[in-house]
Amino acid sequence: MASSRLLFSLCLLFVEVLALAKAQQPADQPKMLYHDCVGKGNYTTNSAYQANLNQLLNSIYTNTEINNGFYNFSYGQDADTVYSIALCRPDISPDVCRVCIRNASDLLVRLCPNFVEAIGGLDNCTVRYTNRSIFNRMEKGPYFWVYDDRVNVSDVVGFNQSRMTLLDRLRDEAAAGDSRYKKAMGQIAAPNFQTIYALVQCTPDLSASECRDCLYNASGLIPECCKARQGGRVIYPSCNFRYEIDRFYDPSTNSIPPPPDSTSNNTVPSPPASTSQGKKGMKRNVIIIISIVPIAISVILIVCVCIFLRARRKQKGEEEAKDLNEMEDVELLQLDFGTVRAATGNFSEDNKLGQGGFGVVYKGTLTSGQDIAVKRLSRASGQGELEFKNEVMLVAKLQHRNLVRLLGFCYEKEERILVYEFLPNSSLNNLIFGIFVI
Ligand SMILES: *[C@@H]1O[C@H](CO)[C@@H](O)[C@H](O)[C@H]1NC(C)=O
Ligand SMILES: *[C@@H]1O[C@H](CO)[C@@H](O)[C@H](O)[C@H]1NC(C)=O
Ligand SMILES: *[C@@H]1O[C@H](CO)[C@@H](O)[C@H](O)[C@H]1NC(C)=O
Ligand SMILES: *[C@@H]1O[C@H](CO)[C@@H](O)[C@H](O)[C@H]1NC(C)=O
Ligand SMILES: *[C@@H]1O[C@H](CO)[C@@H](O)[C@H](O)[C@H]1NC(C)=O
Ligand SMILES: *[C@@H]1O[C@H](CO)[C@@H](O)[C@H](O)[C@H]1NC(C)=O
Ligand SMILES: *[C@@H]1O[C@H](CO)[C@@H](O)[C@H](O)[C@H]1NC(C)=O
Ligand SMILES: *[C@@H]1O[C@H](CO)[C@@H](O)[C@H](O)[C@H]1NC(C)=O
Ligand SMILES: *[C@@H]1O[C@H](CO)[C@@H](O)[C@H](O)[C@H]1NC(C)=O
């Protein structure tokens, strides 16, 4: 009986953890790294322009033919035509690129509601759209920079020299690219045994001299963005560069694959080795996840239902024959509401650790000096005292090393509170958010 109830509680725990994982998903949404809603005019909601824009951004995501990371599309008629250009970091796979573009355009449309023109980007891609033709046009604005100043280099002049030498070299290499790729990546030794790694790229619709000009102009922003910083990037609509003191790019994608040649029989260009590898690896993961997750969930659900039904059946007969000793034990864990309130500074916002599916968790300190985590269940739980204490008893018995220890509980009027030991900096605290379902 006790073990099946225990299993039942574990099942509920699992369900809450699932609900929690779901509730936390919005927080995982990528944040736009940089964006600008270009103030050149607004379109009206439900206009033809808006419809064209949505259609266009969608078509970038669904286009699986382009694999060089540069997307140039237009859609619509006359004044309602939308033009868009998207550019991915050159060392990522086409699949990752398209997901990045979808995420970036979703965010951009939301961040710039009704703006005719906008530009923005995530870590690995930049998207822009407008109502004027932008293909074959070199544009230097609006521009952005992003930097990393976790470490500042000591020899600023020497570092600057090396960085400039590297960017000059890569600029020429990128400009020499063809109409599919204008990119280059490389490294250089810097003072103090450091190495600088950099990646530069232009949208491949630029001419060689436009690409060189764009990158030259972008590197002119180094004094403002980057100076002594260990990493930085400058993003123009038509070109961008990035440097770091760690190798942040995939060097095996450095070579430019041969263009499709109509005179040879080999009409399908072979993609760079690493790209196809990345693609394969991703597919395998997706398949594994797709096939395992539903099976696992079904099995767990079936087990839960069986245990639930069994527990219900047994409960009826055994309810009255409750073990009195157990009830005495549980009284020992009961805490006074005033004690808990004092320990958490009257449940102050400052002490709030987080919010789970079934209540708020606070950090507190008992007068003995012991740190505790306090889970205050939401009031609508509507549970009777006996049921509540039974559940507390179960959790108290469940002293597994991977679970935080229950120190006590509090049951007063509307209040249902659980007190756990507090483990600083431990991911175990995350468990508290999901640990108890009442
Ligand atoms: C783009 O939209 C702006 C604002 O609505 C308008 O002033 C401009 O003429 C449009 N440009 C083109 C090429 O249609
Ligand atoms: C477009 O709308 C935004 C707010 O929705 C406003 O801030 C901006 O000034 C408008 N731009 C023009 C050109 O009307
Ligand atoms: C890019 O878009 C422009 C304008 O829509 C079009 O003329 C051009 O052919 C396109 N180029 C490529 C490579 O898709
Ligand atoms: C950007 O691409 C790099 C290299 O493929 C990858 O490690 C990183 O996770 C990507 N960033 C995002 C936000 O997807
Ligand atoms: C795109 O967004 C999803 C969640 O909305 C996120 O899981 C994924 O990592 C994002 N991918 C990129 C490349 O930003
Ligand atoms: C590096 O310098 C910037 C200002 O230029 C400063 O804000 C940052 O804290 C410094 N970083 C370190 C690790 O010293
Ligand atoms: C960095 O190096 C470039 C080229 O060598 C030079 O023109 C510039 O003045 C230097 N800037 C600093 C801050 O040292
Ligand atoms: C970049 O270009 C703008 C105008 O196109 C110009 O005003 C600026 O001086 C240029 N900067 C550098 C460093 O060349
Ligand atoms: C290319 O294809 C043609 C016919 O389509 C054939 O005659 C020729 O032998 C092929 N060349 C090679 C190198 O396979």
Side-chain angles (χ1 to χ4, degrees):
M1 161 81 191
S3 69
S4 71
R5 292 222 49 187
L6 189 124
L7 271 170
F8 177 48
S9 288
L10 279 179
C11 282
L12 287 176
L13 167 74
F14 170 79
V15 172
E16 190 182 357
V17 167
L18 266 190
L20 201 70
K22 218 173 161 187
Q24 278 178 348
Q25 247 167 19
D28 294 341
Q29 278 257 324
K31 278 225 173 76
M32 202 67 139
L33 195 58
Y34 52 88
H35 78 278
D36 191 345
C37 312
V38 184
K40 283 187 181 154
N42 294 338
Y43 59 81
T44 47
T45 306
N46 295 328
S47 61
Y49 190 84
Q50 182 175 35
N52 291 341
L53 176 61
N54 290 339
Q55 183 75 32
L56 180 76
L57 294 177
N58 222 5
S59 70
I60 300 183
Y61 179 63
T62 50
N63 186 309
T64 51
E65 283 161 28
I66 297 170
N67 64 5
N68 61 350
F70 173 64
Y71 293 83
N72 157 57
F73 286 118
S74 65
Y75 190 81
Q77 300 290 316
D78 306 328
D80 291 323
T81 310
V82 184
Y83 300 85
S84 176
I85 281 183
L87 182 68
C88 281
R89 219 173 100 167
D91 62 333
I92 62 175
S93 74
D95 292 338
V96 174
C97 171
R98 284 182 299 108
V99 173
C100 183
I101 290 172
R102 180 182 57 180
N103 286 1
S105 37
D106 281 354
L107 286 165
L108 196 56
V109 168
R110 250 184 287 150
L111 288 166
C112 299
N114 295 61
F115 277 83
V116 165
E117 180 167 343
I119 176 170
L122 294 169
D123 213 19
N124 291 333
C125 63
T126 305
V127 175
R128 51 186 179 127
Y129 55 79
T130 180
N131 66 343
R132 61 201 170 82
S133 174
I134 46 177
F135 186 70
N136 274 340
R137 284 181 58 117
M138 193 257 279
E139 301 205 340
K140 298 173 177 170
Y143 59 79
F144 312 87
W145 65 69
V146 178
Y147 56 77
D148 177 352
D149 64 8
R150 277 175 302 168
V151 173
N152 288 327
V153 294
S154 47
D155 178 0
V156 182
V157 173
F159 190 81
N160 173 54
Q161 287 290 350
S162 304
R163 180 174 50 200
M164 278 302 186
T165 307
L166 177 61
L167 288 179
D168 285 350
R169 192 183 88 209
L170 296 179
R171 180 169 64 230
D172 287 338
E173 234 178 89
D178 61 19
S179 63
R180 294 167 305 140
Y181 295 98
K182 284 201 168 50
K183 59 157 189 181
M185 40 194 120
Q187 66 189 68
I188 194 169
N192 300 325
F193 310 107
Q194 272 178 327
T195 304
I196 305 176
Y197 299 87
L199 189 164
V200 312
Q201 74 182 135
C202 297
T203 57
D205 56 334
L206 301 191
S207 69
S209 65
E210 283 173 328
C211 176
R212 209 176 289 115
D213 181 20
C214 185
L215 285 169
Y216 179 75
N217 207 279
S219 64
L221 289 172
I222 281 181
E224 286 166 87
C225 78
C226 310
K227 247 187 293 190
R229 292 178 169 133
Q230 69 163 358
R233 40 183 136 162
V234 172
I235 300 104
Y236 277 22
S238 293
C239 66
N240 65 74
F241 71 80
R242 173 177 180 178
Y243 76 91
E244 309 274 345
I245 56 172
D246 304 312
R247 197 203 310 270
F248 63 93
Y249 56 79
D250 180 355
S252 67
T253 56
N254 206 1
S255 62
I256 291 176
D261 186 352
S262 54
T263 59
S264 105
N265 296 353
N266 194 13
T267 46
V268 181
S270 46
S274 70
T275 309
S276 66
Q277 250 172 25
K279 228 170 145 180
K280 267 188 213 151
M282 232 169 75
K283 283 219 177 102
R284 200 176 308 128
N285 281 347
V286 168
I287 290 165
I288 290 171
I289 290 167
I290 288 173
S291 52
I292 285 183
V293 168
I295 294 174
I297 290 180
S298 319
V299 168
I300 290 168
L301 277 180
I302 291 169
V303 170
C304 284
V305 168
C306 290
I307 291 170
F308 179 71
L309 291 176
R310 229 180 86 187
R312 278 278 284 270
R313 219 181 312 126
K314 284 198 170 184
Q315 209 171 346
K316 274 202 167 158
E318 297 179 21
E319 195 72 33
E320 284 90 50
K322 183 112 288 193
D323 189 345
L324 280 176
N325 285 340
E326 265 189 16
M327 289 324 287
E328 278 163 22
D329 286 348
V330 85
E331 304 297 330
L332 291 177
L333 289 171
Q334 186 150 12
L335 295 169
D336 174 47
F337 180 64
T339 309
V340 179
R341 189 168 54 192
T344 57
N346 196 16
F347 303 102
S348 80
E349 276 294 308
D350 290 347
N351 287 334
K352 194 163 154 182
L353 288 175
Q355 187 137 14
F358 286 79
V360 183
V361 181
Y362 300 88
K363 182 179 187 297
T365 310
L366 295 173
T367 43
S368 66
Q370 178 168 24
D371 284 335
I372 53 174
V374 173
K375 181 165 181 176
R376 191 183 199 184
L377 301 172
S378 20
R379 289 165 193 234
S381 60
Q383 186 160 35
E385 181 163 6
L386 188 66
E387 284 166 279
F388 181 73
K389 286 182 179 173
N390 281 336
E391 297 291 346
V392 168
M393 204 58 225
L394 273 171
V395 174
K397 281 180 177 170
L398 206 119
Q399 303 294 9
H400 188 264
R401 76 187 158 84
N402 281 335
L403 292 175
V404 271
R405 202 155 69 88
L406 180 76
L407 297 176
F409 72 97
C410 176
Y411 183 97
E412 246 166 67
K413 290 196 199 110
E414 298 266 80
E415 298 290 349
R416 311 278 185 281
I417 289 171
L418 296 161
V419 177
Y420 298 92
E421 67 183 331
F422 179 79
L423 304 171
N425 299 331
S426 164
S427 61
L428 288 188
N429 284 315
N430 296 333
L431 262 176
I432 304 171
F433 298 125
I435 202 167
F436 216 80
V437 185
I438 296 215

